[in-house]
mmCIF file of all heavy atoms in Angstrom:
data_model
loop_
_atom_site.group_PDB
_atom_site.id
_atom_site.type_symbol
_atom_site.label_atom_id
_atom_site.label_comp_id
_atom_site.label_asym_id
_atom_site.label_seq_id
_atom_site.Cartn_x
_atom_site.Cartn_y
_atom_site.Cartn_z
ATOM 1 N N ARG Z 16 -118.264 86.863 -96.732
ATOM 2 C CA ARG Z 16 -117.952 85.754 -95.865
ATOM 3 C C ARG Z 16 -116.614 85.946 -95.149
ATOM 4 O O ARG Z 16 -116.392 85.435 -94.089
ATOM 5 C CB ARG Z 16 -117.908 84.463 -96.633
ATOM 6 C CG ARG Z 16 -119.288 83.860 -96.970
ATOM 7 C CD ARG Z 16 -119.100 82.659 -97.819
ATOM 8 N NE ARG Z 16 -118.278 83.009 -99.017
ATOM 9 C CZ ARG Z 16 -117.715 82.097 -99.835
ATOM 10 N NH1 ARG Z 16 -117.919 80.805 -99.579
ATOM 11 N NH2 ARG Z 16 -117.032 82.468 -100.877
ATOM 12 N N PHE Z 17 -115.725 86.695 -95.841
ATOM 13 C CA PHE Z 17 -114.403 86.890 -95.225
ATOM 14 C C PHE Z 17 -114.140 88.225 -94.605
ATOM 15 O O PHE Z 17 -113.041 88.571 -94.288
ATOM 16 C CB PHE Z 17 -113.336 86.600 -96.328
ATOM 17 C CG PHE Z 17 -113.502 85.241 -96.928
ATOM 18 C CD1 PHE Z 17 -113.857 85.112 -98.262
ATOM 19 C CD2 PHE Z 17 -113.365 84.109 -96.138
ATOM 20 C CE1 PHE Z 17 -114.000 83.842 -98.801
ATOM 21 C CE2 PHE Z 17 -113.542 82.838 -96.683
ATOM 22 C CZ PHE Z 17 -113.852 82.688 -98.030
ATOM 23 N N ILE Z 19 -114.275 90.456 -91.585
ATOM 24 C CA ILE Z 19 -114.333 90.279 -90.141
ATOM 25 C C ILE Z 19 -115.372 91.176 -89.515
ATOM 26 O O ILE Z 19 -115.372 92.369 -89.764
ATOM 27 C CB ILE Z 19 -112.945 90.589 -89.521
ATOM 28 C CG1 ILE Z 19 -111.923 89.724 -90.230
ATOM 29 C CG2 ILE Z 19 -112.905 90.408 -87.991
ATOM 30 C CD1 ILE Z 19 -110.788 89.278 -89.421
ATOM 31 N N ARG Z 21 -117.249 93.522 -87.015
ATOM 32 C CA ARG Z 21 -116.730 94.448 -85.979
ATOM 33 C C ARG Z 21 -117.384 94.144 -84.597
ATOM 34 O O ARG Z 21 -118.558 93.934 -84.533
ATOM 35 C CB ARG Z 21 -117.003 95.840 -86.388
ATOM 36 C CG ARG Z 21 -116.505 96.848 -85.401
ATOM 37 C CD ARG Z 21 -116.564 98.187 -86.057
ATOM 38 N NE ARG Z 21 -117.032 99.131 -85.102
ATOM 39 C CZ ARG Z 21 -116.892 100.429 -85.262
ATOM 40 N NH1 ARG Z 21 -116.277 100.890 -86.346
ATOM 41 N NH2 ARG Z 21 -117.388 101.262 -84.341
ATOM 42 N N GLN Z 22 -116.521 94.059 -83.598
ATOM 43 C CA GLN Z 22 -117.054 93.863 -82.248
ATOM 44 C C GLN Z 22 -116.996 95.148 -81.502
ATOM 45 O O GLN Z 22 -115.898 95.598 -81.102
ATOM 46 C CB GLN Z 22 -116.224 92.823 -81.551
ATOM 47 C CG GLN Z 22 -116.667 91.389 -81.864
ATOM 48 C CD GLN Z 22 -115.763 90.446 -81.079
ATOM 49 O OE1 GLN Z 22 -114.680 90.160 -81.474
ATOM 50 N NE2 GLN Z 22 -116.251 89.973 -79.902
ATOM 51 N N LYS Z 50 -118.158 113.397 -62.727
ATOM 52 C CA LYS Z 50 -118.275 114.856 -62.817
ATOM 53 C C LYS Z 50 -118.545 115.446 -61.405
ATOM 54 O O LYS Z 50 -119.392 114.932 -60.664
ATOM 55 C CB LYS Z 50 -119.444 115.197 -63.744
ATOM 56 C CG LYS Z 50 -119.558 116.716 -63.957
ATOM 57 C CD LYS Z 50 -120.776 117.083 -64.785
ATOM 58 C CE LYS Z 50 -120.554 116.909 -66.258
ATOM 59 N NZ LYS Z 50 -121.612 117.504 -67.035
ATOM 60 N N GLU Z 90 -109.339 116.344 -63.047
ATOM 61 C CA GLU Z 90 -109.214 116.762 -64.450
ATOM 62 C C GLU Z 90 -110.024 118.039 -64.705
ATOM 63 O O GLU Z 90 -111.191 118.089 -64.399
ATOM 64 C CB GLU Z 90 -109.771 115.626 -65.346
ATOM 65 C CG GLU Z 90 -109.776 116.035 -66.804
ATOM 66 C CD GLU Z 90 -109.856 114.799 -67.710
ATOM 67 O OE1 GLU Z 90 -110.406 113.741 -67.271
ATOM 68 O OE2 GLU Z 90 -109.356 114.853 -68.818
ATOM 69 N N GLY Z 293 -87.822 102.311 -59.234
ATOM 70 C CA GLY Z 293 -87.396 100.909 -59.301
ATOM 71 C C GLY Z 293 -88.386 100.163 -60.119
ATOM 72 O O GLY Z 293 -88.764 100.565 -61.194
ATOM 73 N N ASN C 26 -110.850 91.487 -98.372
ATOM 74 C CA ASN C 26 -112.169 91.892 -97.798
ATOM 75 C C ASN C 26 -112.033 92.578 -96.470
ATOM 76 O O ASN C 26 -113.074 92.839 -95.796
ATOM 77 C CB ASN C 26 -113.023 90.636 -97.643
ATOM 78 C CG ASN C 26 -113.453 90.139 -99.020
ATOM 79 O OD1 ASN C 26 -114.240 90.745 -99.690
ATOM 80 N ND2 ASN C 26 -112.836 89.011 -99.445
ATOM 81 N N ASN C 27 -110.834 92.881 -96.065
ATOM 82 C CA ASN C 27 -110.692 93.574 -94.802
ATOM 83 C C ASN C 27 -109.563 94.625 -94.885
ATOM 84 O O ASN C 27 -108.791 94.561 -95.849
ATOM 85 C CB ASN C 27 -110.294 92.567 -93.729
ATOM 86 C CG ASN C 27 -111.409 91.591 -93.407
ATOM 87 O OD1 ASN C 27 -112.417 91.932 -92.778
ATOM 88 N ND2 ASN C 27 -111.288 90.351 -93.880
ATOM 89 N N TRP C 88 -120.130 120.704 -69.396
ATOM 90 C CA TRP C 88 -119.455 119.884 -70.407
ATOM 91 C C TRP C 88 -119.951 118.427 -70.324
ATOM 92 O O TRP C 88 -120.466 117.994 -69.317
ATOM 93 C CB TRP C 88 -117.916 119.938 -70.336
ATOM 94 C CG TRP C 88 -117.387 119.752 -68.868
ATOM 95 C CD1 TRP C 88 -117.011 120.692 -68.046
ATOM 96 C CD2 TRP C 88 -117.254 118.504 -68.184
ATOM 97 N NE1 TRP C 88 -116.615 120.175 -66.874
ATOM 98 C CE2 TRP C 88 -116.775 118.833 -66.917
ATOM 99 C CE3 TRP C 88 -117.526 117.145 -68.507
ATOM 100 C CZ2 TRP C 88 -116.481 117.838 -65.952
ATOM 101 C CZ3 TRP C 88 -117.251 116.201 -67.565
ATOM 102 C CH2 TRP C 88 -116.702 116.530 -66.264
ATOM 103 N N ASN C 97 -111.974 99.499 -85.803
ATOM 104 C CA ASN C 97 -112.356 98.772 -86.994
ATOM 105 C C ASN C 97 -111.619 97.461 -87.110
ATOM 106 O O ASN C 97 -110.472 97.398 -86.752
ATOM 107 C CB ASN C 97 -112.169 99.649 -88.231
ATOM 108 C CG ASN C 97 -113.171 100.757 -88.282
ATOM 109 O OD1 ASN C 97 -114.303 100.571 -87.992
ATOM 110 N ND2 ASN C 97 -112.691 101.945 -88.666
ATOM 111 N N ASN C 135 -110.721 93.278 -82.111
ATOM 112 C CA ASN C 135 -111.063 93.452 -83.492
ATOM 113 C C ASN C 135 -109.888 93.184 -84.464
ATOM 114 O O ASN C 135 -109.973 93.518 -85.661
ATOM 115 C CB ASN C 135 -111.621 94.853 -83.696
ATOM 116 C CG ASN C 135 -113.107 94.958 -83.331
ATOM 117 O OD1 ASN C 135 -113.906 94.315 -83.926
ATOM 118 N ND2 ASN C 135 -113.400 95.733 -82.276
ATOM 119 N N GLU C 189 -114.013 77.189 -95.668
ATOM 120 C CA GLU C 189 -114.214 77.452 -97.110
ATOM 121 C C GLU C 189 -113.013 76.987 -97.902
ATOM 122 O O GLU C 189 -113.039 77.064 -99.115
ATOM 123 C CB GLU C 189 -114.438 78.969 -97.363
ATOM 124 C CG GLU C 189 -115.537 79.577 -96.467
ATOM 125 C CD GLU C 189 -116.890 79.268 -96.988
ATOM 126 O OE1 GLU C 189 -116.997 78.985 -98.191
ATOM 127 O OE2 GLU C 189 -117.857 79.226 -96.159
ATOM 128 N N GLU C 263 -103.933 117.058 -72.730
ATOM 129 C CA GLU C 263 -105.304 117.456 -73.044
ATOM 130 C C GLU C 263 -105.194 118.771 -73.920
ATOM 131 O O GLU C 263 -104.328 119.587 -73.728
ATOM 132 C CB GLU C 263 -106.118 117.771 -71.807
ATOM 133 C CG GLU C 263 -107.526 117.330 -71.897
ATOM 134 C CD GLU C 263 -108.065 117.001 -70.599
ATOM 135 O OE1 GLU C 263 -107.718 115.934 -70.010
ATOM 136 O OE2 GLU C 263 -108.891 117.812 -70.109
ATOM 137 N N ARG C 274 -108.632 114.482 -74.973
ATOM 138 C CA ARG C 274 -107.609 113.937 -74.102
ATOM 139 C C ARG C 274 -106.886 112.893 -74.872
ATOM 140 O O ARG C 274 -107.442 111.947 -75.435
ATOM 141 C CB ARG C 274 -108.405 113.245 -72.934
ATOM 142 C CG ARG C 274 -107.584 112.897 -71.809
ATOM 143 C CD ARG C 274 -108.475 112.766 -70.547
ATOM 144 N NE ARG C 274 -107.541 112.334 -69.529
ATOM 145 C CZ ARG C 274 -107.304 111.096 -69.235
ATOM 146 N NH1 ARG C 274 -107.972 110.099 -69.796
ATOM 147 N NH2 ARG C 274 -106.429 110.808 -68.373
ATOM 148 N N TYR C 305 -83.000 102.726 -66.656
ATOM 149 C CA TYR C 305 -84.360 102.531 -66.346
ATOM 150 C C TYR C 305 -85.114 101.692 -67.379
ATOM 151 O O TYR C 305 -85.966 100.866 -67.050
ATOM 152 C CB TYR C 305 -85.045 103.903 -66.225
ATOM 153 C CG TYR C 305 -86.194 103.650 -65.287
ATOM 154 C CD1 TYR C 305 -85.889 103.334 -64.012
ATOM 155 C CD2 TYR C 305 -87.416 103.484 -65.764
ATOM 156 C CE1 TYR C 305 -86.834 102.906 -63.159
ATOM 157 C CE2 TYR C 305 -88.421 103.067 -64.946
ATOM 158 C CZ TYR C 305 -88.155 102.794 -63.663
ATOM 159 O OH TYR C 305 -89.113 102.329 -62.858
#
Side-chain angles (χ1 to χ4, degrees):
Chain Z
R16 281 175 308 168
F17 303 115
I19 304 212
R21 179 166 139 164
Q22 275 181 278
K50 186 186 276 191
E90 177 161 29
Chain C
N26 291 289
N27 292 287
W88 48 259
N97 287 321
N135 279 297
E189 308 282 334
E263 219 155 286
R274 192 157 178 270
Y305 206 69

